[in-house]
Amino acid sequence: MNTHIILASRSEIRAQLLRQAGVDFRVEVARVDEDAIKAALLAEQAAPRDIADTLAEAKARKVSGKCPGDMVLGCDQVLDFEGRLLSKPETADDALKQLRAMRGKRHMLLSAAVIYKDGEPLWRHVGQVRLVMRQASDAYLEGYVDRNWNSIRHAVGAYKLEEEGVRLFTTIDGSYFNVLGLPMLELMNYLGLQGIIEQ
């Protein structure tokens, strides 16, 4: 088929997942004001799931307008902790505060993906994962942030499960792909059914 796939995200892990799955795509970063969209939705008391979905859609729609005929994949991930959204930590102190607040408790990651073509939505999915963080000591959390700050500063919740962050958890209920920020199984199924990838 002549349809091209565009990933409207600067996320290296999402690009890596698509590459490893043998999907042919190119990256076109969406220029959207995520903070403004998120603030407006929070002011309306939107559910975290809806915030993830709206942000993913905004990215897909923005790039789709410039790329006629192409399938554009927009993605976003949010962390729902006790009904409030946690964002990427701005400082190492923020990271430590987030981790201390979450230890011994449950939170949820919501990974949204939306596909647009010619300015119209074709498909969407929000995957969710429930995680329980172990009761890590202050000393361990401080060392964890010191050792991993350059990496975890780009992650909601201040951890990366594919790295040392796996040591922070006792229970993970849901797809590992959703933890990484992309509902891969559902996406591959859709692309296969559409004849975009071989199945």
Side-chain angles (χ1 to χ4, degrees):
M1 291 189 71
N2 291 328
T3 303
H4 295 104
I5 298 173
I6 298 173
L7 175 61
S9 169
R10 68 175 79 248
S11 164
E12 182 48 44
I13 192 72
R14 290 188 183 109
Q16 184 181 329
L17 288 172
L18 291 173
R19 276 194 300 271
Q20 288 172 341
V23 177
D24 190 25
F25 70 99
R26 75 177 197 271
V27 172
E28 183 90 29
V29 177
R31 310 267 180 227
V32 297
D33 189 342
E34 292 185 51
D35 291 336
I37 294 169
K38 200 181 289 186
L41 290 167
L42 286 170
E44 294 170 10
Q45 297 183 319
R49 186 185 194 284
D50 295 336
I51 293 172
D53 181 67
T54 302
L55 287 166
E57 180 167 15
K59 296 170 189 176
R61 186 175 59 239
K62 180 86 175 211
V63 173
S64 180
K66 302 183 295 182
C67 302
D70 294 331
M71 272 190 169
V72 180
L73 173 62
C75 309
D76 200 78
Q77 184 183 63
V78 301
L79 189 154
D80 178 358
F81 176 57
E82 298 181 339
R84 71 180 195 271
L85 238 56
L86 291 190
S87 299
K88 295 172 185 173
E90 292 185 12
T91 66
D93 256 5
D94 287 341
L96 197 51
K97 282 178 193 158
Q98 286 186 8
L99 293 170
R100 282 177 175 155
M102 291 190 294
R103 68 180 160 191
K105 297 179 183 173
R106 178 187 305 273
H107 66 268
M108 189 158 63
L109 285 175
L110 299 153
S111 292
V114 177
I115 292 178
Y116 260 62
K117 185 176 180 182
D118 295 325
E120 295 295 325
L122 297 181
W123 174 86
R124 65 196 332 120
H125 182 81
V126 180
Q128 58 183 37
V129 185
R130 290 177 173 81
L131 304 96
V132 178
M133 196 173 277
R134 71 179 178 85
Q135 278 286 6
S137 67
D138 282 344
Y140 178 75
L141 292 179
E142 287 164 13
Y144 172 77
V145 171
D146 284 346
R147 287 187 298 277
N148 296 282
W149 171 243
N150 281 336
S151 177
I152 63 174
R153 64 191 302 197
H154 304 295
V156 293
Y159 63 82
K160 284 191 176 177
L161 209 62
E162 66 271 29
E163 297 173 0
E164 188 187 341
V166 70
R167 291 169 57 181
L168 296 169
F169 294 92
T170 59
T171 309
I172 298 166
D173 179 17
S175 167
Y176 181 61
F177 293 117
N178 289 330
V179 176
L180 298 181
L182 189 59
M184 279 292 284
L185 300 180
E186 295 81 4
L187 175 62
M188 293 302 103
N189 186 49
Y190 175 76
L191 294 177
L193 290 172
Q194 297 304 309
I196 305 300
I197 60 172
E198 188 181 5
Q199 64 171 1

